[in-house]
Amino acid sequence: MKGLSSRLAALRREHKLTQKAMAEALGLSRQTVSNWEKGEIEPNIGVLTKIAACFGVSTDYLLGHETYTTHYEEKYRQEGFYWGETINALAFEVLKRLPPVKPLRLLDVGCGEGQAAVFFARNGYHVTAFDIAASGLEKGRALAQAAGVPVDFFQADLLRHALAEEFDVIYSTDVLEYVPPEHRRRVLGHWQAHTAVGGLHVLDTFVEKSFIATAPDWEHGKEFFWQTGELFSHYAGDWKIEWMEEPVFACDSAGVPHQHCMDRMIARRMA
Ligand SMILES: C[S@@+](CC[C@H](N)C(=O)[O-])C[C@H]1O[C@@H](n2cnc3c(N)ncnc32)[C@H](O)[C@@H]1O
């Protein structure tokens, strides 16, 4: 079953379990769990059901059959802006590092409710923005209309969407954790191949730290931590990392104070 082994390994790591602890919870041997994760054997349907119950995911998810949505579809339906009105500091970095002194095409991947996309359009960029959550896109369209700026908003799954044109900036904040490890090289490579020379990638994502508990609103089975420095490791050769950081910061999304660790990066295509 394609992807089952990595989904099992990711779920175990998100729950901060060793292979031994997971095996004990399921009444199996550590070797069995290790063999699942290597893709050498697969759990039978009874064990799969038990794993699904233990980790709060569906068997359809484990088997890769679930129609993909995120909990933001629901959250963005609520009144107001789930993410507030503040524009991410990384958006201002785009303005500083690649100001739109000539027409520049910017892509916002996983644009949520569209605030950053509209901010860029108001500042003169030609903006394309997509997200899997239709409710967020509706808010983005209304925001763009109220601001009197064009933004090409559309619904797409970043794991499947093939870019058909080149961009000067690819901007994606707080989204890459939705890319399972086995898709990361392909997705980032595709974005890199569709970025103009001199263009920027402005990205961030959550990294796993043993001393930080997983956030209460983490979408188990849909979000996957990155490892420290993993994001940066995709930017070599024609790419120069202009800036990076790995802060730990406080957050109270879902109304519960907690912490995150994030890798943030601005990289430029040099050739
Ligand atoms: C934490 S929110 C961040 C939204 C926005 N980028 C921001 O910084 O405010 C994550 C966003 O990624 C979107 N998303 C998750 N998986 C996706 C996928 N496979 N394709 C497109 N969008 C996705 C969610 O719907 C959600 O809007």
Side-chain angles (χ1 to χ4, degrees):
M1 188 63 56
K2 205 166 170 292
L4 177 60
S5 53
S6 55
R7 278 190 285 276
L8 289 171
L11 274 178
R12 176 179 64 73
R13 284 199 299 266
E14 281 160 20
H15 288 260
K16 306 212 184 298
L17 293 175
T18 60
Q19 288 185 340
K20 186 165 177 276
M22 179 166 175
E24 277 167 8
L26 297 166
L28 300 164
S29 72
R30 191 203 62 80
Q31 193 55 49
T32 304
V33 173
S34 163
N35 288 343
W36 292 342
E37 294 187 5
K38 285 191 244 159
E40 286 172 2
I41 55 168
E42 288 177 353
N44 66 34
I45 191 68
V47 175
L48 212 59
T49 310
K50 206 164 167 184
I51 297 170
C54 268
F55 290 110
V57 297
S58 67
T59 49
D60 268 355
Y61 163 73
L62 291 173
L63 296 169
H65 294 154
E66 204 164 75
T67 313
Y68 192 80
T69 55
T70 71
H71 61 189
Y72 293 112
E73 182 62 55
E74 201 51 48
K75 293 185 190 297
Y76 296 157
R77 277 190 220 290
Q78 291 159 23
E79 224 171 284
F81 285 95
Y82 182 76
W83 296 113
E85 310 278 330
T86 314
I87 302 297
N88 191 316
L90 283 176
F92 293 92
E93 285 300 318
V94 173
L95 260 67
K96 277 194 233 157
R97 287 166 195 263
L98 202 55
V101 291
K102 58 174 187 173
L104 292 177
R105 300 144 301 175
L106 182 147
L107 174 67
D108 184 350
V109 179
C111 60
E113 297 159 298
Q115 290 102 325
V118 172
F119 167 84
F120 287 126
R122 291 178 66 158
N123 280 285
Y125 295 83
H126 293 226
V127 183
T128 303
F130 72 86
D131 198 284
I132 196 97
S135 52
L137 296 165
E138 262 172 49
K139 279 191 176 156
R141 287 189 190 105
L143 201 60
Q145 198 177 12
V149 290
V151 175
D152 179 14
F153 282 112
F154 62 94
Q155 187 179 24
D157 179 345
L158 76 88
L159 296 179
R160 298 198 177 91
H161 182 65
L163 302 180
E165 56 176 314
E166 208 172 56
F167 291 92
D168 298 290
V169 182
I170 297 189
Y171 174 90
S172 186
T173 58
D174 201 351
V175 175
L176 283 174
E177 59 274 12
Y178 283 92
V179 180
E182 68 270 24
H183 292 290
R184 290 176 183 168
R185 183 153 302 283
R186 175 184 61 80
V187 168
L188 290 179
H190 183 66
W191 294 0
Q192 288 169 350
H194 288 81
T195 305
V197 174
L200 294 179
H201 278 195
V202 181
L203 308 173
D204 65 20
T205 193
F206 291 117
V207 298
E208 185 168 35
K209 290 285 172 196
S210 57
F211 55 89
I212 297 180
T214 305
D217 52 353
W218 187 256
E219 286 200 272
H220 290 282
K222 290 190 176 169
E223 291 185 87
F224 305 87
F225 281 113
W226 289 58
Q227 299 307 306
T228 290
E230 182 187 345
L231 175 61
F232 315 140
S233 74
H234 290 272
Y235 287 82
D238 291 344
W239 289 80
K240 180 181 171 212
I241 298 180
E242 290 192 349
W243 171 87
M244 61 164 92
E245 67 171 7
E246 189 178 89
V248 172
F249 59 94
C251 179
D252 65 357
S253 60
V256 183
H258 55 275
Q259 284 189 312
H260 288 294
C261 180
M262 197 166 223
D263 275 3
R264 299 190 175 124
M265 181 201 75
I266 300 178
R268 191 181 295 266
R269 180 164 180 186
M270 306 304 286

